[in-house]
């Protein structure tokens, strides 16, 4: 049965048009558009011809979802093919990749493309409401890969692989979510999920070793190669040796360990769980083929025997068919002739140039502060949302909504003035004690803000600091997504402290140190400040230079106790929803007038300057106050 429905109207067409799901959610997806049907057929054929294992896995999902997965696979593969085409020089390959991404950026709002693979991808994005902007960094990475890749250690290798794979797998998870079968990952399995994808990447590299070596590529970290002296030189010469054999055995063992994540699918819907379990079984079979290939591994890609694949796939098809037969799905109806579907979010242009934030309505610009006088890290306790709402006779959640607007404004001001780090106390461990309705409103607001992604086109890296155990899994998912998709940005880093408490952070750090000491990896008598800092939950968060609190209160409220040990304190009376970027500029200006000597002798040249006090309150008449 074709995954792309016929052009004629069928009962399923009429059923889909009225929004009633049929058995296993079977619905047509491409209406009466012959070009679109042909585009999906091409994606399906390419998947089947170029990656039979991936095609077999997609066959385990309901027919109505398969075209979207074929389109996503074909798009990722089309980009890889452009980047890997060694008949063209690196600069030309990079230009082709950029042209492909630029065309997609232009075609998403239009809803169509002359390129059949992009045509299917654009339709999939619009139909399933996928945010392809989340793929920008993964696509840009393909362009970077044309210059060659070298990894010093496994950490670099993992970052490269995860940055490439996680966004694409995230799109697949979103398709399931839109169909009403969310592939929710338990909080204790997130690292298992990412490690599973490490196993996918390593298996692919071992399988394609002969082709990569022929092109002069060796996509393995030096850390692994150094364990087997001579293996890198032997591989460069495509020479099978004891060192190469030992390396391959070591790597297949690692890959087997990474794909053996049995806890990953525990509690998951049996449909996607069957897909993941079958994927793991196929990967293990592929690793067996790599091990059995011996010297032939350097000449051609090994493949498992057909009977091995059949032994894995036959029971998987039966399990999947049963699971999906009992599952009603929500599938977007076919687009009717002349109807306009809401376009998917535009894909940001493939360039390192980001948009500037909108100017302040007053036209006011930030003060000119010499780089040497700027704080590197400003942390903010955003106090006063509830009081702001109560003063206006509004429910407290309206104050949090207005506070979200103030966050956007202050982030814009941080970009304007050139701040490097901005950390926001968004939701504390103590905030759980508030009225449940208010807590739910805050969490819903966070979901909406993160889904809207207001800083998508700005050079803003988003990070999250706090505990995951009490937060809703879908909120944790989108927090991790925003972290992944902005990881490569180098402008302003905005850290959101959500379910964060300073004492909790210190307790977790002490527990980590105790664990290392108990394991004999750390001498308790030699623990120093830098050891403690390295074991903080967010170890690379820099020390805070300026701690600013709005709302008139003058306390630090369990916020970043380690990082604020030498911070300048700045308190303002205005409530947070009344804050705008000018208040941030005033806070930073006040900081530049402080003397910061950390216990050393004050600078005489500044002794007669503005107040050197480490704690001050701004006047009530300041901007936005």
């Amino acid at each position: 049965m074709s995954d792309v429905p016929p052009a004629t109207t069928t009962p399923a067409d009429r059923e889909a048009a009225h929004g009633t799901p049929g058995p296993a959610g079977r619905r047509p997806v491409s209406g009466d558009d012959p070009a679109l049907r042909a585009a999906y057929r091409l994606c399906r054929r390419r998947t089947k011809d170029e990656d039979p294992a991936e095609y077999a896995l997609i066959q385990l999902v309901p027919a109505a979802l398969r075209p979207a997965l074929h389109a996503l696979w074909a798009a990722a593969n089309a980009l890889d093919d452009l980047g890997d085409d060694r008949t063209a020089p690196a600069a030309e390959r990079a230009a082709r990749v950029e042209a492909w991404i630029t065309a997609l950026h232009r075609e998403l709002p239009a809803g169509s493309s002359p390129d059949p693979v992009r045509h299917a991808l654009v339709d999939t994005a619009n139909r399933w409401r996928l945010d392809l902007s989340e793929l920008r960094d993964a696509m840009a990475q393909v362009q970077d890969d044309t210059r060659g890749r070298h990894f010093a250690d496994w950490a670099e290798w993992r970052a490269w692989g995860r940055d490439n794979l996680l966004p694409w797998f995230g799109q697949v998870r979103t398709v399931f979510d839109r169909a009403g079968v969310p592939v929710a990952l338990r909080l204790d399995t997130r690292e298992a999920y990412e490690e599973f994808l490490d196993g996918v990447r390593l298996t692919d590299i071992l399988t394609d070793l002969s082709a990569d070596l022929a092109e002069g590529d060796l996509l393995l970290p030096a850390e692994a190669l150094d364990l087997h002296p001579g293996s890198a030189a032997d591989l460069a010469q495509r020479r099978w040796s004891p060192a190469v054999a030992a390396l391959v055995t070591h790597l297949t063992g690692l890959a087997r360990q990474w794909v053996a994540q049995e806890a990953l699918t525990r509690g998951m819907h049996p449909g996607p769980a069957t897909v993941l379990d079958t994927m793991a079984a196929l990967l293990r079979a592929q690793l067996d083929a790599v091990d059995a290939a011996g010297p032939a591994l350097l000449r051609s890609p090994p493949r498992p025997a057909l009977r091995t694949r059949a032994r894995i796939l036959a029971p998987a098809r039966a399990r999947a068919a049963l699971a999906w037969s009992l599952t009603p799905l929500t599938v977007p109806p076919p687009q009717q002739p002349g109807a306009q579907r809401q376009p998917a979010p535009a894909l940001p242009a493939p360039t390192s140039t980001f948009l500037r934030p909108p100017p302040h309505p007053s036209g006011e610009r930030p003060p000119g502060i010499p780089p040497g006088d700027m704080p590197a890290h400003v942390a903010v306790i955003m106090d006063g949302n509830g009081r702001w709402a109560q003063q206006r006779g509004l429910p407290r959640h309206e104050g949090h909504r207005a506070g979200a607007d103030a966050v956007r404004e202050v982030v814009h001001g941080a970009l304007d003035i050139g701040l490097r780090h901005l950390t926001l106390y968004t939701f504390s461990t103590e905030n759980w004690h508030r009225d449940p309705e208010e807590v739910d409103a805050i969490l819903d607001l966070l979901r909406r803000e993160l889904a809207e992604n207001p800083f998508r086109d700005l050079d803003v890296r988003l990070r999250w600091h706090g505990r995951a155990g009490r937060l809703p899994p879908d909120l944790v998912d989108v927090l991790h997504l925003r972290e992944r998709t902005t990881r490569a940005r180098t402008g302003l880093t905005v850290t959101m402290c959500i379910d964060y408490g300073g004492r909790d952070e210190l307790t977790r750090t002490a527990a980590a140190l105790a664990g290392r000491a108990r394991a004999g990896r750390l001498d308790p008598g030699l623990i120093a400040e830098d050891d403690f800092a390295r074991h903080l939950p967010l170890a690379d968060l820099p020390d805070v230079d300026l701690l600013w609190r709005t709302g008139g209160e003058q306390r630090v409220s369990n916020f970043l106790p380690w990082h604020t040990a030498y911070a300048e304190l700045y308190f303002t009376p205005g409530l947070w929803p009344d804050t705008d970027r000018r208040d941030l500029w005033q806070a930073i200006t006040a900081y530049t007038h402080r003397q910061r000597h950390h216990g050393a002798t004050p600078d005489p040249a500044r002794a007669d300057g503005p107040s050197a006090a480490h704690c001050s309150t701004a006047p009530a008449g300041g901007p936005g106050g």
Side-chain angles (χ1 to χ4, degrees):
M1 175 180 174
S2 171
D3 294 340
V4 182
T8 55
T9 302
T10 67
D13 290 323
R14 293 190 291 275
E15 182 178 64
H18 289 87
T20 306
R26 290 177 181 267
R27 288 178 175 172
V29 297
S30 53
D32 296 319
D33 183 350
L36 188 55
R37 293 201 312 276
Y40 276 115
R41 278 196 298 269
L42 174 66
C43 293
R44 177 179 182 270
R45 186 171 65 251
R46 286 191 178 179
T47 308
K48 185 176 183 179
D49 293 345
E50 299 176 28
D51 194 339
E54 182 70 24
Y55 180 79
L57 290 170
I58 293 175
Q59 290 298 104
L60 298 179
V61 308
L65 276 62
R66 293 175 197 164
L69 306 190
H70 290 145
L72 287 165
W73 183 91
N77 208 47
L79 267 178
D80 284 341
D81 287 347
L82 288 173
D84 293 340
D85 180 12
R86 297 308 178 98
T87 63
E92 184 177 337
R93 284 182 277 130
R96 290 176 182 176
V97 171
E98 181 172 357
W100 197 97
I101 304 171
T102 300
L104 179 63
H105 170 76
R106 182 177 61 250
E107 293 157 358
L108 270 171
S112 182
S113 171
D115 177 89
V117 171
R118 290 200 303 271
H119 190 27
L121 179 63
V122 166
D123 181 75
T124 291
N126 288 328
R127 186 179 307 280
W128 292 95
R129 294 179 291 116
L130 304 182
D131 186 353
L132 296 190
S133 68
E134 295 163 2
L135 297 174
R136 176 170 70 176
D137 290 341
M139 291 180 171
Q141 187 189 86
V142 176
Q143 189 175 355
D144 293 339
D145 287 348
T146 60
R147 296 191 289 268
R149 284 287 183 182
H150 302 281
F151 310 105
D153 52 31
W154 282 113
E156 285 186 12
W157 183 91
R158 286 190 183 92
W160 166 74
R162 293 179 183 185
D163 285 351
N164 181 266
L165 285 180
L166 280 166
W168 290 99
F169 273 77
Q171 298 295 320
V172 173
R173 289 178 59 198
T174 301
V175 170
F176 279 102
D177 184 60
R178 299 283 190 262
V181 188
V183 187
L185 296 174
R186 301 189 319 278
L187 299 174
D188 62 329
T189 62
R190 182 166 306 281
E191 181 58 32
Y193 173 65
E194 297 191 356
E195 199 166 82
F196 178 83
L197 294 186
D198 293 342
V200 173
R201 171 64 74 186
L202 185 53
T203 303
D204 285 345
I205 288 173
L206 291 170
T207 299
D208 297 333
L209 191 59
S210 59
D212 289 340
L213 291 175
E215 301 294 346
D217 290 332
L218 183 56
L219 300 176
L220 297 170
E223 180 181 350
L225 297 168
D226 291 345
L227 292 175
H228 305 278
S231 60
D234 290 335
L235 285 171
Q237 297 297 318
R238 304 184 72 180
R239 182 172 57 240
W240 187 259
S241 67
V244 170
L247 172 69
V248 170
T249 300
H250 170 65
L251 294 177
T252 54
L254 273 181
R256 283 192 184 89
Q257 175 185 329
W258 291 341
V259 301
Q261 304 288 346
E262 296 180 2
L264 186 59
T265 57
R266 194 175 300 142
M268 190 180 288
H269 181 282
T274 297
V275 175
L276 282 173
D277 287 339
T278 306
M279 186 176 186
L282 290 172
L283 288 166
R284 289 193 294 269
Q286 182 61 47
L287 291 167
D288 290 342
V290 170
D291 269 336
L297 181 66
L298 306 185
R299 297 193 297 271
S300 61
R303 299 296 177 196
L306 290 177
R307 63 179 177 276
T308 302
R309 291 185 56 208
R311 188 170 63 248
I312 295 169
L313 291 170
R317 292 189 186 107
R319 291 196 305 271
L322 176 61
W324 295 120
S325 70
L326 302 174
T327 305
L329 299 180
T330 303
V331 179
Q335 186 158 351
Q336 302 303 313
Q340 293 295 317
R341 191 184 298 274
Q342 179 70 26
L347 182 72
T351 173
S352 58
T353 302
F354 292 91
L355 299 180
R356 294 295 307 165
H360 189 268
S362 70
E364 190 171 339
R365 297 296 302 158
I369 296 176
D373 293 339
M374 274 284 293
H377 186 184
V378 174
V380 187
I381 300 174
M382 304 176 292
D383 194 14
N385 289 341
R387 283 177 283 158
W388 183 91
Q390 290 171 336
Q391 288 175 5
R392 290 159 176 76
L394 300 171
R396 287 178 62 88
H397 67 80
E398 287 297 323
H400 298 301
R401 183 198 57 75
D405 293 336
V407 167
R408 297 189 188 194
E409 174 66 12
V410 167
V411 168
H412 293 162
L415 284 166
D416 283 337
I417 202 169
L419 186 64
R420 302 294 298 175
H421 290 270
L422 177 68
T423 297
L424 305 174
Y425 206 1
T426 308
F427 187 85
S428 75
T429 52
E430 290 76 19
N431 287 155
W432 292 106
H433 300 305
R434 295 188 179 186
D435 183 273
E437 289 188 9
E438 182 178 357
V439 171
D440 288 343
I442 294 172
L443 297 180
D444 284 342
L445 178 62
L446 284 171
R447 285 189 190 92
R448 289 197 301 272
E449 284 294 298
L450 289 163
E452 187 175 345
N453 199 9
F455 309 127
R456 175 187 292 118
D457 297 319
L458 306 177
D459 193 7
V460 173
R461 180 188 182 193
L462 291 176
R463 301 184 78 191
W464 163 43
H465 190 16
R467 276 192 176 269
R470 291 184 289 190
L471 295 175
D474 63 322
L475 177 58
V476 174
D477 267 349
V478 74
L479 284 166
H480 280 295
L481 174 65
R482 293 292 170 251
E483 284 190 313
R484 284 199 311 273
T485 55
T486 62
R487 183 183 299 166
R489 301 187 182 188
T490 58
L492 171 68
T493 295
V494 175
T495 303
M496 299 171 291
C497 291
I498 302 174
D499 199 8
Y500 169 87
R503 288 183 173 179
D504 175 74
E505 178 183 31
L506 298 181
T507 303
R508 292 161 65 190
T509 304
L513 285 168
R516 286 182 63 85
R518 184 175 183 180
R521 300 165 65 186
L522 189 67
D523 184 344
L526 299 178
I527 293 176
E529 284 189 17
D530 58 341
D531 295 307
F532 195 93
R534 281 197 301 270
H535 288 81
L536 288 164
L538 204 60
D540 60 344
L541 186 71
D543 284 347
V544 173
D545 296 308
L546 173 63
L547 175 62
W548 168 30
R549 179 172 187 148
T550 64
E553 303 290 348
Q554 298 189 27
R555 56 181 179 270
V556 296
S557 296
N558 197 24
F559 186 40
L560 298 175
W562 179 269
H563 303 85
T564 57
Y566 286 100
E568 299 295 322
L569 305 181
Y570 183 79
F571 302 106
T572 54
L575 304 179
W576 178 253
D578 291 325
T579 301
D580 71 14
R581 72 187 76 182
R582 296 172 298 175
D583 295 283
L584 174 68
W585 298 343
Q586 180 173 311
I588 291 174
T589 300
Y591 168 86
T592 66
H593 296 161
R594 305 283 183 87
Q595 288 194 56
R596 306 190 76 216
H597 46 82
H598 301 291
T601 303
D603 180 0
R606 300 186 63 179
D608 296 327
S611 172
H614 284 258
C615 176
S616 76
T617 302

